[in-house]
Amino acid sequence: MKPANTLLEQTGTTIFTVMSALSLQHGAINLGQGFPDTEGPADIVQAAADALLDHRNQYPPLTGLPALKSAVAAANQRFYGLPIDPATGVCVTSGATEAITACLMALLNPGDEAILIEPLYDTYLPVVKMLGATARLVRLEPPGWELPRAALAAAFSPKTKLLLLNSPMNPTGKVFTPDELDFIAGLLTQHDSYAVCDEVYEHLVFPPARHIPLMTLPGMAARTLRIGSAGKTFSLTGWKVGYISGPPDLISLTAKAHQNLTFTTAPNLQRAVALGLAKPDDYFTTLAGELMARRDILNTGLKRLGFITLPTDGSYFITADISPLNFQGDDVEFCRAITTQAGVAAIPVSAFYAGAAPRNYVRFAFCKQPDVLRAALARLENWRAGKS
């Protein structure tokens, strides 16, 4: 038979699926895949349940229900002072991963170049390739993950169409600084390029760090698409509700891409998310504060066990250097070992690179209940004791 799609045939099962399956098989505590182990706010869940019974379950509008689009626009204004038109400046998608794909589809033509920053979320590169564009990779280096300004500037060319920026960043937990954002904005202006900003962890930032959308910088609003996620903001990752904010001319193109992907998103979930985005400020500060406390539990415990932990200013994740443990193997082998032997799952950071990568870092998710984190640390401690 004739070959099917070559790129997809060469794309393996994601490391998240592999490690979650291994975790389930061995009864491990899953600190690999980034999902909370508690339900989101009860009032939002109840609103979604109630909305199923109100006889409005047919197709909602392509770009989203007016109530949710208005809530997204209001949140942009409330948190960042961004004047987004709710009618023309918002597109609701079935999750942020679809939003990323729709944005890339809206902007890239075959032969264009897209700048991606490593380590990177595993969806970015395959989508760029499927669209016939070329990825130019710029690498952040541990342990500080500072922006390599010379390398980034060198990555731009006359073919550069866009830069994809993830901040707060998965897997590093990095929040890009004002100076770094200024530098990026200057390059985008100089090369007349667009920005696609994956900001799904925007409300999961830990003081003194502060999330600043690139879109808020001078000249960026007209060339930026900003992506948010109800799953991350409300700890309801299975709902898969994302939203794109941006200038009307670009939003209209993402809507056309969205039409050819999922077309629309469940209306009851949209109504519930609209309620959530209108929650008072203390919900969002409490969310970040509770998550920061969980980060500190895991961070302190990992350091006590001999890991070197890297700074984490946002997201669900902490990166740990396994070098001091004298483990005889790389990060993939380490993650398999602790899953099968210690009963704790993690993700090898090398999975977030396209080519040769550091092999001594692993990613742990701390978006779990404190008792679960302590139990995971106890398992790792027992495993370490048995290895010594």
Side-chain angles (χ1 to χ4, degrees):
M1 296 178 67
K2 292 180 179 179
N5 183 275
T6 303
L7 176 62
L8 294 179
E9 283 187 331
Q10 293 173 349
T11 301
T13 304
T14 71
I15 190 66
F16 312 106
T17 300
V18 170
M19 295 308 301
S20 289
L22 196 64
S23 175
L24 185 63
Q25 178 184 346
H26 291 273
I29 297 172
N30 191 349
L31 302 187
Q33 196 166 6
F35 58 87
D37 57 357
T38 55
E39 278 290 280
D43 57 343
I44 300 178
V45 175
Q46 187 63 57
D50 293 343
L52 283 173
L53 302 175
D54 69 0
H55 306 291
R56 292 184 289 176
N57 289 300
Q58 306 309 319
Y59 292 127
L62 167 68
T63 58
L65 289 174
L68 180 51
K69 293 173 67 176
S70 293
V72 171
N76 272 290
Q77 180 65 55
R78 170 185 171 192
F79 292 110
Y80 310 117
L82 287 167
I84 301 295
D85 186 327
T88 62
V90 176
C91 181
V92 177
T93 60
S94 293
T97 298
E98 191 218 337
I100 293 163
T101 301
C103 289
L104 295 176
M105 289 174 65
L107 294 173
L108 289 174
N109 290 311
D112 285 342
E113 292 181 355
I115 296 175
L116 309 180
I117 298 176
E118 288 185 308
L120 74 173
Y121 181 55
D122 64 340
T123 294
Y124 299 164
L125 186 57
V127 174
V128 169
K129 289 181 176 180
M130 283 192 288
L131 294 171
T134 298
R136 299 288 298 272
L137 299 173
V138 175
R139 179 170 295 194
L140 308 186
E141 297 291 348
W145 307 116
E146 292 89 356
L147 184 71
R149 301 189 183 203
L152 181 62
F156 278 82
S157 80
K159 293 184 178 181
T160 302
K161 179 65 72 69
L162 63 86
L163 179 145
L164 205 169
L165 181 67
N166 179 205
S167 182
M169 191 179 186
N170 175 17
T172 67
K174 175 184 174 62
V175 176
F176 282 78
T177 67
D179 284 346
E180 289 173 330
L181 294 173
D182 283 339
F183 185 77
I184 291 169
L187 289 173
L188 293 172
T189 301
Q190 177 185 343
H191 295 276
D192 192 23
S193 301
Y194 297 99
V196 174
C197 294
D198 178 355
E199 301 180 20
V200 298
Y201 299 103
E202 60 182 319
H203 295 296
L204 309 181
V205 176
F206 315 129
R210 184 168 64 96
H211 174 57
I212 302 172
L214 184 70
M215 186 182 283
T216 63
L217 273 62
M220 290 298 103
R223 63 178 72 248
T224 302
L225 290 167
R226 196 177 87 81
I227 297 165
S229 166
K232 301 301 190 296
T233 298
F234 302 112
S235 301
L236 294 163
T237 58
W239 280 20
K240 300 299 293 179
V241 178
Y243 23 87
I244 309 166
S245 305
D249 58 331
L250 299 185
I251 290 295
S252 68
L253 294 175
T254 64
K256 292 176 181 178
H258 171 56
Q259 179 179 2
N260 288 288
L261 290 168
T262 62
F263 176 66
T264 192
T265 300
N268 68 309
L269 301 182
Q270 291 194 53
R271 293 191 178 94
V273 172
L275 173 73
L277 286 173
K279 277 184 169 293
D281 289 353
D282 63 359
Y283 166 79
F284 299 93
T285 55
T286 299
L287 175 70
E290 290 179 350
L291 196 60
M292 183 169 68
R294 299 179 189 195
R295 176 203 66 178
D296 293 345
I297 290 171
L298 186 58
N299 182 54
T300 299
L302 290 174
K303 288 196 292 187
R304 178 172 53 82
L305 293 176
F307 293 84
I308 297 175
T309 58
L310 277 59
T312 298
D313 290 328
S315 83
Y316 283 159
F317 310 111
I318 191 164
T319 300
D321 184 351
I322 63 174
S323 300
L325 306 185
N326 296 316
F327 178 80
Q328 300 303 304
D330 64 14
D331 59 339
V332 175
E333 294 166 317
F334 180 85
C335 288
R336 288 188 176 275
I338 62 170
T339 303
T340 59
Q341 299 170 20
V344 179
I347 297 291
V349 170
S350 61
F352 296 88
Y353 291 83
R359 308 296 297 198
N360 57 306
Y361 294 98
V362 299
R363 189 196 78 173
F364 292 96
F366 51 80
C367 50
K368 312 294 180 180
Q369 298 177 72
D371 287 347
V372 172
L373 296 174
R374 294 188 183 100
L377 289 166
R379 291 187 181 190
L380 287 170
E381 185 172 16
N382 290 337
W383 178 74
R384 288 275 291 138
K387 302 289 283 185
S388 61

